[in-house]
Amino acid sequence: MSATVLVVEDEPGIQELIAYNLRQAGHLPLRAESAEEALRIVKNALPDLVLLDWMLPGASGIELARRLRADERTKAIPIIMLTARSDEQDKVGALETGADDYITKPFSPREMIARIRAVLRRRAPQMTDDPVTIGGLTLDPATHRVSGDGLPINLGPTEFRLLHYLMTHPERVHSRAQLLDQVWGDHVFVEERTVDVHIRRLRKALEPTGKAGLVQTVRGAGYRFSAS
């Protein structure tokens, strides 16, 4: 699936090369040349992943990574560090700061895309095209198809995204605010009760296959997807 990737890189040639290869892989690149510019972009809307150069004008990439990890709103954004530093100590330092992966320059575009895919699969599985099957319910992002015990289920686009997120984060309780941020986007201002409306629509669509009970209400907390 298409992911929004914030590229924080001050060298125009490298920035353009990364953006080109991201587009070729079906992703949407956002660009920033400094930590300050990156923070302004993140303030407006959260990216799905940050590709972050170590050496930046002003605040360094390491400082930006620390700030992102320290903020409740941005702490879960996957981060991949880009740097010419290859010493083991530097790699350990980047990972201890909170980076999810580390790519040493020069790197091949194929390696970069593969690492992005691996990090998204681990940290943001809802951004991948991997099929998910739980409790007899199957969702395939690549074909946009959902089935319960082999029977097709028709979902609207919002219900599809909602189900995909819940299925890729099973057994966890999600508040309405968290679901709004993850499914609608934290830059979209809608009432939390909107989530309830779409949960009802989702359950209604799942009822004919007997899978509505997989989407559970946790009183006073939110919703959970569980096969148990």
Side-chain angles (χ1 to χ4, degrees), residues 57-94:
S60 70
I62 289 290
E63 291 175 41
L64 176 56
R66 288 197 184 102
R67 292 185 64 174
L68 293 175
R69 287 290 177 258
D71 189 323
E72 184 69 25
R73 178 173 170 268
T74 58
K75 69 178 184 180
I77 301 175
I79 298 173
I80 298 179
M81 295 294 298
L82 302 173
T83 178
R85 298 170 179 260
S86 58
D87 294 341
E88 181 180 354
Q89 184 175 351
D90 292 327
K91 294 179 181 179
V92 171

Side-chain angles (χ1 to χ4, degrees), residues 7 10-11 26 35 65 67 69 78 91 102 109 143 157-159 168 183-184 194-195 218:
V7 181
D10 64 320
E11 295 187 34
R67 292 185 64 174
R69 287 290 177 258
K91 294 179 181 179
Y102 188 108
T143 61
T158 300
E159 286 73 39
T168 51
V183 178
W184 279 261
T194 300
V195 176
V218 181

Side-chain angles (χ1 to χ4, degrees), residues 29-160:
L30 303 176
R31 307 190 197 190
E33 297 181 357
S34 67
E36 292 74 18
E37 186 179 2
L39 287 171
R40 287 195 294 272
I41 292 173
V42 169
K43 185 177 180 179
N44 290 327
L46 295 180
D48 298 307
L49 182 141
V50 176
L51 278 175
L52 179 56
D53 187 30
W54 184 305
M55 301 297 292
L56 293 170
S60 70
I62 289 290
E63 291 175 41
L64 176 56
R66 288 197 184 102
R67 292 185 64 174
L68 293 175
R69 287 290 177 258
D71 189 323
E72 184 69 25
R73 178 173 170 268
T74 58
K75 69 178 184 180
I77 301 175
I79 298 173
I80 298 179
M81 295 294 298
L82 302 173
T83 178
R85 298 170 179 260
S86 58
D87 294 341
E88 181 180 354
Q89 184 175 351
D90 292 327
K91 294 179 181 179
V92 171
L95 296 173
E96 288 181 343
T97 299
D100 296 277
D101 203 353
Y102 188 108
I103 304 178
T104 304
K105 298 176 181 179
F107 54 87
S108 73
R110 289 182 62 187
E111 177 191 7
M112 179 188 71
I113 297 301
R115 287 181 179 269
I116 288 173
R117 187 179 299 116
V119 169
L120 287 174
R121 184 175 292 117
R122 185 171 69 249
R123 289 291 303 276
Q126 74 276 12
M127 296 308 305
T128 71
D129 282 331
D130 297 341
V132 190
T133 300
I134 301 175
L137 186 65
T138 298
L139 182 148
D140 188 343
T143 61
H144 213 272
R145 289 177 178 167
V146 180
S147 62
D149 295 331
L151 299 174
I153 298 170
N154 293 320
L155 295 179
T158 300
E159 286 73 39
F160 184 90

Side-chain angles (χ1 to χ4, degrees), residues 159-207:
E159 286 73 39
F160 184 90
R161 293 196 306 271
L162 181 58
L163 180 61
H164 191 198
Y165 182 77
L166 290 170
M167 290 185 71
T168 51
H169 298 81
E171 305 300 334
R172 303 183 193 177
V173 178
H174 308 277
S175 69
R176 293 178 179 87
Q178 288 170 333
L179 290 173
L180 282 175
D181 285 350
Q182 296 296 331
V183 178
W184 279 261
D186 79 328
H187 60 293
V188 177
F189 300 100
V190 294
E191 294 184 0
E192 290 189 1
R193 291 296 172 181
T194 300
V195 176
D196 300 338
V197 173
H198 287 281
I199 287 288
R200 286 197 296 270
R201 290 178 183 172
L202 174 58
R203 284 174 172 159
K204 185 175 182 180
L206 297 177
E207 278 178 359

